[in-house]
Amino acid sequence: MGGAAIGVGNIAGNFLSGALRNPSAAAGQTAMLFIGIAFAEALGIFSFLVALLLMFAV
């Protein structure tokens, strides 16, 4: 899941760099950017929780 979080973060970062090149097209896509950032953050937190569970519960 940590790798997936890095991948989603990379996609959101590439979207942001593309939006900075064409600001007029990015106005309608800001919700998708926030969703991408939220997915990256959630996957990072979930991978941390799974690591803690594996470390202390097993």
Side-chain angles (χ1 to χ4, degrees):
M1 274 196 283
I6 292 170
V8 171
N10 193 11
I11 290 171
N14 286 336
F15 171 77
L16 184 60
S17 72
L20 290 174
R21 289 187 195 125
N22 188 4
S24 63
Q29 298 294 322
T30 54
M32 296 300 291
L33 177 64
F34 288 133
I35 290 171
I37 292 170
F39 279 150
E41 188 75 23
L43 285 171
I45 291 171
F46 290 152
S47 63
F48 178 67
L49 291 176
V50 167
L52 285 177
L53 283 174
L54 288 175
M55 192 164 54
F56 292 116
V58 176

